[in-house]
Amino acid sequence: MWVSAFVGATVFLAIAGPKVLFPSSTEWLSWGDSVQHYLGWEFFRRSPLVQFPLGDSPLFGVGYASSVVYSDSIPLLAIPFKYLTFWFDGEFQYFGLWLLFCYVALHYVSNKILQEFGVERWPARVGATFFVIAPVFLFRQTILGYGHMALAGQFFLLMAFREAVGSHYRVRRWALLLVTSLLVQFYLFVMVAIVWATVVIAGVLRKSQTIRQACVRVVWNLGAVGLTMWTVGYFSSGNSSEDGFGVFRTDLATFWDPQTFTSTKWSSLLPDQPVVPSNVDGTFEGFAFLGLGILLAVALVTFAWALTRWRTPRRTGLADSRLRRLLPSSILCFAFSLSNVVTFRVERITITLPTPLQWLGDTLRASGRFVWPLPFTVMICSLVALARLLPKRAVLSVVVALLAIQLADSWSALRETRERFTQFSFKASSFDSEELARVAVGKSTLYVDPPQYKGLIWQDFAKFALDNGMSTNASYLSRVDYSRLSRSEVEIRNRLLTRNPEKGALYVSLPKSGSYASLMHQLNNTSGPLAKDVEALVVSGMLVVYRDD
């Protein structure tokens, strides 16, 4: 454990630096999905202490708000930290501590798995370092320049793998693993659940458990999962699907293609693969480059196996029946990650799916993420096979050499990853207007017309509302009930058009809204207020309307 803590913390500090660990350090969470996670947490922290569901977040996305689950703010941490910090008014974030834990946990679990398959202590410890510098892990922290913090919890997949290769089924551990992964991120939970399902099915086929036992375990775990979802607010969205399936997918060449289709290239030696621009789309979600060191390990294992198979045919990694348990779930996840639009660089095949499968795809629209179990399986099998095929005295030297090669080859990408945490080129800020801040005093809600759900500047409105103690309809949620969103937009617009703003609320009408032209026409042609007790001012081209209390 201490070695994993040291290695994980060292790699974390080398990449992210110590500043992100400070709860008051929020600059690195100021753009993209990171600001969604952070602002979602801050608004949730200001929600009532006594409420149900526990994850209810009514202040973030007023009119269509749902749960802290849908701002990807890691409910496992958000809920307890809410009760620990409710008395504190300043900025507070726990995402740095979460990332540190992910690095340590990833090394610890991978080290345990390798040792369980006979890899000696030091080769296992060095081999586990491949997992904390794996492109598939680090890329989630920098994807499109800002990162998905909850999805850094890929150690859950390795924990599921460790249970899958165990000598017996542990009921409580599987239940705990399913529930905790659900409280971190839904995609991680589904991948863990797939591993668990293959374990249950395999147990029945191997007759290590009866069908009755399997049914009891399924009902028990599904009951725990359902209760957890209800408690934290998974059912409060009213909508489970979004567009994107077939776009955010995996390309078949992802394991040896070092290019993420952003500025980062994860190998200085391996070339980019030729690609047709129309085939790129959202394949960054399925990025799973193995790294030069692991690719060389696979090649070395293949060569060594070819030389020795006639003498020791059962020494390689996949000859181990326990390791083969990882294949069904990994292959199943990989197949889903390809989606119904299968691409291989310049080739493209589109498959029409039955309605139930299309619904499943729309529910898990970023299917490319499901590629993750397969590269981890390849890494485990290649390192275990190396330890079995090579002379014991050579294993440590070879693993160290491969790790050094991977570090050197990906050095440029590692440097760019560090820049994501240490160099901040943009920070979401409040509107630079003293007059706007003045009229916000005493207001409880900020309404924007049209509602800035996933709008380009939604975070500016949300940050302004947060700084001034208001709730807001400007938000970014992974799932939203569009009927509620539409009704909220109509109500806001009607209030503006009838000059009847809600008492205690501040309204911002944007130039493209349905209310802007009418209000501006009246404002430009009268010298008084829009209506009795209703005032308006123009700030940076936006019309701000409020009731003069």
Side-chain angles (χ1 to χ4, degrees):
M1 179 62 189
W2 291 111
V3 172
S4 292
F6 174 77
V7 174
T10 299
V11 176
F12 169 79
L13 292 173
I15 289 177
K19 186 177 180 181
V20 300
L21 293 174
F22 292 100
S24 60
S25 175
T26 61
E27 296 89 352
W28 63 286
L29 298 167
S30 296
W31 62 92
D33 282 13
S34 295
V35 75
Q36 172 202 13
H37 310 331
Y38 169 64
L39 290 180
W41 144 249
E42 285 287 10
F43 279 100
F44 171 68
R45 183 158 71 106
R46 288 158 175 75
S47 63
L49 288 177
V50 180
Q51 62 178 15
F52 192 86
L54 295 179
D56 194 26
S57 186
L59 307 181
F60 190 53
V62 174
Y64 58 92
S66 53
S67 166
V68 71
V69 166
Y70 295 106
S71 62
D72 280 344
S73 302
I74 315 177
L76 183 67
L77 299 178
I79 292 174
F81 271 112
K82 171 184 174 179
Y83 295 100
L84 291 173
T85 64
F86 72 92
W87 52 271
F88 179 65
D89 291 331
E91 295 180 331
F92 185 94
Q93 61 85 17
Y94 46 75
F95 298 98
L97 290 172
W98 163 250
L99 286 181
L100 173 60
F101 180 79
C102 290
Y103 279 77
V104 173
L106 197 58
H107 187 277
Y108 176 78
V109 182
S110 57
N111 176 40
K112 287 294 184 182
I113 291 175
L114 294 177
Q115 289 194 45
E116 285 179 8
F117 283 100
V119 182
E120 293 189 347
R121 182 178 301 176
W122 279 106
R125 289 171 174 174
V126 176
T129 308
F130 277 105
F131 293 82
V132 294
I133 66 165
V136 71
F137 169 63
L138 295 179
F139 180 60
R140 299 316 305 184
Q141 299 159 46
T142 63
I143 183 170
L144 298 183
Y146 43 76
H148 295 148
M149 298 308 152
L151 291 174
Q154 294 172 356
F155 64 88
F156 280 109
L157 303 180
L158 293 181
M159 292 177 71
F161 282 177
R162 190 181 179 195
E163 291 301 311
V165 300
S167 58
H168 59 279
Y169 184 97
R170 293 186 280 198
V171 177
R172 293 179 181 176
R173 285 207 182 180
W174 272 117
L176 182 63
L177 188 54
L178 288 165
V179 167
T180 52
S181 61
L182 181 66
L183 289 172
V184 171
Q185 222 281 341
F186 187 70
Y187 279 87
L188 292 173
F189 159 74
V190 175
M191 284 180 256
V192 169
I194 290 173
V195 179
W196 165 69
T198 60
V199 168
V200 173
I201 294 171
V204 173
L205 295 177
R206 293 196 310 267
K207 298 184 179 180
S208 61
Q209 62 179 347
T210 65
I211 295 178
R212 181 178 180 277
Q213 287 176 320
C215 290
V216 170
R217 290 166 178 175
V218 168
V219 171
W220 166 260
N221 283 338
L222 291 183
V225 166
L227 180 61
T228 302
M229 295 180 76
W230 178 52
T231 302
V232 299
Y234 264 96
F235 302 127
S236 60
S237 169
N239 177 44
S240 63
S241 62
E242 291 274 347
D243 293 336
F245 183 65
V247 176
F248 303 114
R249 64 186 188 281
T250 297
D251 185 272
L252 283 168
T254 187
F255 301 112
W256 58 85
D257 186 1
Q259 183 63 45
T260 62
F261 306 116
T262 59
S263 61
T264 305
K265 185 172 181 290
W266 281 87
S267 175
S268 58
L269 295 178
L270 296 179
D272 294 343
Q273 302 297 305
V275 64
V276 176
S278 61
N279 281 1
V280 176
D281 297 324
T283 51
F284 57 84
E285 283 285 5
F287 175 72
F289 178 57
L290 291 170
L292 184 58
I294 292 297
L295 288 173
L296 289 175
V298 172
L300 185 57
V301 165
T302 304
F303 178 72
W305 173 80
L307 289 179
T308 62
R309 68 188 180 93
W310 62 274
R311 289 183 298 166
T312 54
R314 298 190 62 81
R315 290 188 66 203
T316 56
L318 287 180
D320 190 314
S321 62
R322 291 192 301 150
L323 269 179
R324 288 202 298 269
R325 297 178 193 174
L326 304 181
L327 292 180
S329 57
S330 297
I331 293 173
L332 182 62
C333 286
F334 176 64
F336 182 72
S337 76
L338 298 174
S339 80
N340 64 322
V341 182
V342 182
T343 58
F344 183 69
R345 302 298 80 190
V346 298
E347 304 296 332
R348 181 186 184 104
I349 299 174
T350 301
I351 304 170
T352 302
L353 296 178
T355 301
L357 289 181
Q358 186 64 48
W359 174 84
L360 177 63
D362 291 338
T363 301
L364 300 166
R365 65 183 190 128
S367 64
R369 298 170 183 175
F370 284 81
V371 73
W372 301 342
L374 191 53
F376 284 139
T377 297
V378 172
M379 293 167 70
I380 292 169
C381 291
S382 61
L383 291 169
V384 171
L386 273 179
R388 294 181 176 183
L389 287 167
L390 298 179
K392 285 188 177 182
R393 288 178 295 181
V395 174
L396 179 59
S397 299
V398 170
V399 174
V400 169
L402 291 173
L403 180 64
I405 290 171
Q406 181 146 327
L407 283 169
D409 185 57
S410 60
W411 193 256
S412 176
L414 294 173
R415 186 173 62 249
E416 288 187 34
T417 304
R418 177 172 175 79
E419 290 173 357
R420 178 262 177 268
F421 292 102
T422 58
Q423 298 180 17
F424 313 114
S425 58
F426 170 78
K427 186 177 189 298
S429 59
S430 306
F431 300 113
D432 187 17
S433 169
E434 293 184 3
E435 189 172 12
L436 188 58
R438 177 184 60 79
V439 299
V441 174
K443 302 296 187 294
S444 60
T445 307
L446 172 66
Y447 290 111
V448 185
D449 180 29
Q452 287 301 288
Y453 170 63
K454 295 187 178 181
L456 294 178
I457 56 173
W458 73 268
Q459 66 269 24
D460 290 335
F461 294 106
K463 188 65 165 62
F464 177 81
L466 183 69
D467 290 343
N468 289 274
M470 296 185 286
S471 58
T472 182
N473 69 333
S475 72
Y476 193 129
L477 302 170
S478 59
R479 295 292 186 273
V480 68
D481 186 334
Y482 286 101
S483 61
R484 291 174 60 194
L485 177 62
S486 178
R487 289 196 299 270
S488 174
E489 181 176 3
V490 170
E491 181 181 352
I492 291 169
R493 189 160 299 160
N494 286 341
R495 280 189 172 274
L496 287 171
L497 291 174
T498 58
R499 284 65 166 170
N500 184 33
E502 179 183 311
K503 188 175 182 180
L506 196 65
Y507 292 77
V508 176
S509 179
L510 301 180
K512 292 184 179 181
S513 71
S515 61
Y516 185 84
S518 174
L519 292 171
M520 285 298 294
H521 176 75
Q522 180 178 347
L523 189 64
N524 292 331
N525 288 278
T526 60
S527 57
L530 292 176
K532 183 179 180 180
D533 299 328
V534 178
E535 299 289 345
L537 67 149
V538 179
V539 179
S540 301
M542 300 175 293
L543 185 61
V544 180
V545 180
Y546 61 98
R547 186 175 295 279
D548 189 3
D549 298 330

